[in-house]
Amino acid sequence: MRQKSILIVTLLLLTKLAYSQTVLIDNSGDTLVTITLPQMDRIYVELLQKDSLSEQAILSHAKEVLLYQVIDSAKKDIEFLETLVYAIDSENLGLHLENEKQKTQIRTNRTISFISLVTLFLFIAL
């Protein structure tokens, strides 16, 4: 008797854990499947998760495209600034050369002035 009750309890426990579906076929030939509420809840949760993941993928793709646009814009800005730096360097080099030319001219003028003054003093002294 005890073995029978253990067997019955074991079978009841196993049937509780078993997966069951009821399949019905209606008059139009469609197949209907009935599932339990917990199964339906799990399916619903999985569908929501997949929809959420799809939306996240779309948002991530849009964010990625936006970041690529920002990178392209930054590259264009960098190229423009490099061109600007090159132009300023060229202008700076020209100004530097002009400054050196003026310094040379001033030295020459000072030398000429000094020689003129020395000549004038020698002319007056003699």
Side-chain angles (χ1 to χ4, degrees):
M1 181 70 174
R2 187 169 185 206
Q3 290 178 346
K4 283 185 181 181
S5 61
I6 291 175
L7 183 63
I8 290 172
V9 169
T10 305
L11 288 175
L12 285 174
L13 287 174
L14 287 175
T15 55
K16 175 68 178 159
L17 299 174
Y19 179 81
S20 65
Q21 288 183 339
T22 304
V23 179
L24 303 172
I25 300 176
D26 63 1
N27 292 336
S28 64
D30 290 336
T31 304
L32 304 173
V33 177
T34 57
I35 56 175
T36 63
L37 283 175
Q39 291 170 334
M40 184 182 70
D41 288 341
R42 282 195 306 267
I43 291 170
Y44 184 70
V45 167
E46 286 179 17
L47 289 173
L48 286 177
Q49 287 174 344
K50 288 179 183 176
D51 287 345
S52 174
L53 289 174
S54 297
E55 290 297 321
Q56 285 178 353
I58 291 169
L59 290 174
S60 294
H61 179 69
K63 188 185 246 184
E64 181 180 356
V65 168
L66 181 65
L67 289 175
Y68 279 128
Q69 289 173 349
V70 168
I71 289 171
D72 287 341
S73 175
K75 283 181 181 178
K76 289 177 184 175
D77 290 344
I78 289 171
E79 289 173 1
F80 172 74
L81 292 173
E82 285 175 344
T83 305
L84 190 62
V85 165
Y86 179 74
I88 291 172
D89 279 347
S90 298
E91 186 177 336
N92 189 21
L93 180 62
L95 290 174
H96 181 69
L97 291 174
E98 187 177 327
N99 188 19
E100 288 297 320
K101 184 178 175 185
Q102 285 179 354
K103 283 182 181 179
T104 305
Q105 178 108 22
I106 289 171
R107 279 190 218 120
T108 305
N109 289 342
R110 283 182 184 167
T111 305
I112 291 171
S113 296
F114 179 73
I115 291 173
S116 297
L117 283 174
V118 169
T119 307
L120 180 66
F121 284 130
L122 285 175
F123 183 74
I124 293 176
L126 295 174

